[in-house]
């Protein structure tokens, strides 16, 4: 299959391009579109054969359920059997936006979409292009992130092409996405409600409206074991072996510098993933010690601007990976507020290699 790419204006997308995309979806084809979080790989959610193509294109295991995108809260009842009061509160406050609600599903939603679960994950994206597409289509659109399974989620059309060229019919390219991390997922099919994936809407924001919400992301950090499919550790994984360093900043910087020296001394080429300010703090520690050409570093935002860190995280991981380093040493930024989502993604990319440094 030949993949077409159409550039669209992120604020005022050309209606002809949107109509073409909606027609393709209606005909059971695959269309990649931008959302405010990451690019999504879309198919008609109520067309089982179309949804199957998503799993094939991504090489995604069938036990990993998809998020269904709708144009507005009024479309919830096309897919879900009801909306508990807490879910409604969150939807009214944070839709359109980076929030996904897990609700009891209606039989109209194919089991393939939900991996056989009796629940369905719903989201109203705020990106103008996504909204225009949902409105033009009129039907719900199933869309996981538009990456190959276990690759970092795509925040630009170039990332999508890297992973899916020749596997999708159309890509709508509206430039880099704003948030850069997948939506916050809150499951209302259990009591109390469970935050299953941290994202652009913070746990603290959710908790302010739904005080009994708990966190269960299926991955370490004192949290419960995995409760939903698709929360497997090896997600967002770069090709290089990534290790996450966390703890007091100065101690982490010293340890990373020491580990970089050890690794390069034994011939490894290593990559450093850290905020601009952390990279600046690391520079004098590393300078002159290790041979040039053995170290690559790519920043992701700054400690003072975690929104930018979230926006840049996946692109920075991809960029470091593309340099061919065998190891990536990643410096974390804490785990509260928006940092919770960043920390979650880094931990998954690290696949268990987390070094918690204590003050010395
Ligand atoms: O920001 C986003 O959410 C992006 C954009 C494209 O909207 N989409 C996205 O989709 O991240 P994906 O497929 O990468 O994430 C889907 C995840 C599943 O792995 C699972 O963790 C959760 O959503 N999920 C989906 N359906 C669920 C369900 N019925 N119950 C619990 N979790 C579910
Ligand atoms: Mg994904």
């Amino acid at each position: 299959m030949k993949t077409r790419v159409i550039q669209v204006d992120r604020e005022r997308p050309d209606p002809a391009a949107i109509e073409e995309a909606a027609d393709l979806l209606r005909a059971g084809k695959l269309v990649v579109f931008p959302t405010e979080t990451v690019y999504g790989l879309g198919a008609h959610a109520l067309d089982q054969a179309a949804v199957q193509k998503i799993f094939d294109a991504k090489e995604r295991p069938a036990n990993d359920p998809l998020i269904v995108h709708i144009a507005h809260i009024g479309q919830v009842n096309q897919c879900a059997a009801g909306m508990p009061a807490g879910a409604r509160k969150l939807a009214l406050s944070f839709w359109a936006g980076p929030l996904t609600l897990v609700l009891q599903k209606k039989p109209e939603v194919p089991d393939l979409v939900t991996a056989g679960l009796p629940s369905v994950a719903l989201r109203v994206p705020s990106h103008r292009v996504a909204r225009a597409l949902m409105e033009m289509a009129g039907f719900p659109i199933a869309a996981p992130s538009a990456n190959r399974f276990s690759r970092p989620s795509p925040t630009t059309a170039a990332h999508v092409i890297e992973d899916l060229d020749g596997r999708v019919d159309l890509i709508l390219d509206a430039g880099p996405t704003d948030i850069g991390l997948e939506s916050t997922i809150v499951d209302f099919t259990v009591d109390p409600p469970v935050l299953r994936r941290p994202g652009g809407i913070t746990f603290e924001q959710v908790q302010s409206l739904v005080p009994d919400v708990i966190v269960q992301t299926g991955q370490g950090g004192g949290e419960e074991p995995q409760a939903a499919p698709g929360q497997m550790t090896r997600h967002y994984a770069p090709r290089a072996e990534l290790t996450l360093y966390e703890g007091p900043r100065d101690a982490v910087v010293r340890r990373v510098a020491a580990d970089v020296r050890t690794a390069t001394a034994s011939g490894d080429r290593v990559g450093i993933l850290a905020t601009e300010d952390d990279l600046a703090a690391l520079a004098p520690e590393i300078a002159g010690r290790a041979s040039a050409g053995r170290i690559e570093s790519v920043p992701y935002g700054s400690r003072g601007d975690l929104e930018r860190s979230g926006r840049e995280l996946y692109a920075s991981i991809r960029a470091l990976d593309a340099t061919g380093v065998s190891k990536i040493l990643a410096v974390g930024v804490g785990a509260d507020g928006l940092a919770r989502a960043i920390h979650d993604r880094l931990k998954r990319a690290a696949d268990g290699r987390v070094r918690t440094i204590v003050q010395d």
Side-chain angles (χ1 to χ4, degrees), residues 36-291:
E36 69 280 20
T37 59
V38 300
Y39 275 78
L41 168 54
H44 191 320
L46 307 182
D47 176 345
Q48 169 145 343
V51 172
Q52 180 59 49
K53 292 179 188 168
I54 292 178
F55 287 92
D56 296 342
K58 280 190 65 125
E59 296 171 28
R60 181 179 175 109
N63 69 350
D64 193 359
L66 306 177
I67 294 174
V68 175
H69 297 66
I70 53 179
H72 49 82
I73 191 170
Q75 267 187 316
V76 166
N77 62 12
Q78 285 187 20
C79 301
M83 217 178 181
R88 181 168 301 276
K89 270 193 199 167
L90 292 184
L92 291 173
S93 295
F94 301 122
W95 278 354
L99 173 73
T100 296
L101 299 174
V102 177
L103 305 171
Q104 293 299 338
K105 98 172 181 76
K106 275 196 167 165
E108 287 83 342
V109 180
D111 285 337
L112 191 57
V113 171
T114 64
L117 291 170
S119 57
V120 62
L122 294 178
R123 157 162 137 78
V124 177
S126 63
H127 196 291
R128 290 273 166 82
V129 175
R131 300 199 74 180
L133 184 59
M134 304 304 138
E135 274 158 23
M136 185 81 81
F139 47 81
I141 298 173
S145 48
N147 51 295
R148 290 261 197 121
F149 185 67
S150 95
R151 295 271 291 146
S153 290
T155 57
T156 66
H159 297 159
V160 178
I161 292 166
E162 251 175 65
D163 282 13
L164 297 176
D165 192 25
R167 291 170 173 249
V168 299
D169 297 279
L170 177 66
I171 299 171
L172 294 176
D173 176 2
T177 57
D178 280 337
I179 295 174
L181 303 168
E182 306 85 343
S183 61
T184 303
I185 301 179
V186 186
D187 187 348
F188 280 92
T189 66
V190 286
D191 191 19
V194 172
L195 185 137
R196 298 213 182 273
R197 181 172 73 186
I201 302 295
T202 65
F203 173 70
E204 292 79 2
Q205 282 174 296
V206 172
Q207 201 179 32
S208 71
L209 294 178
V210 181
D212 59 340
V213 67
I214 58 169
V215 181
Q216 239 175 52
T217 59
Q219 239 226 338
E223 293 145 359
E224 305 296 321
Q226 75 175 61
Q231 296 290 339
M232 43 275 271
T233 309
R234 245 192 73 79
H235 230 133
Y236 320 110
R239 296 188 180 97
E241 183 188 272
L242 186 147
T243 303
L244 171 61
Y245 290 75
E246 55 182 23
R249 184 180 178 229
D250 293 346
V252 166
V253 164
R254 277 197 299 278
R255 175 58 65 85
V256 168
D259 286 359
V260 166
R261 290 196 291 269
T262 308
T264 52
S266 63
D268 280 328
R269 284 186 61 224
V270 302
I272 307 173
L273 178 72
T275 57
E276 285 169 0
D277 31 349
D278 286 355
L279 277 183
L282 267 163
E285 301 269 350
I286 297 167
R289 301 271 196 148
S291 43

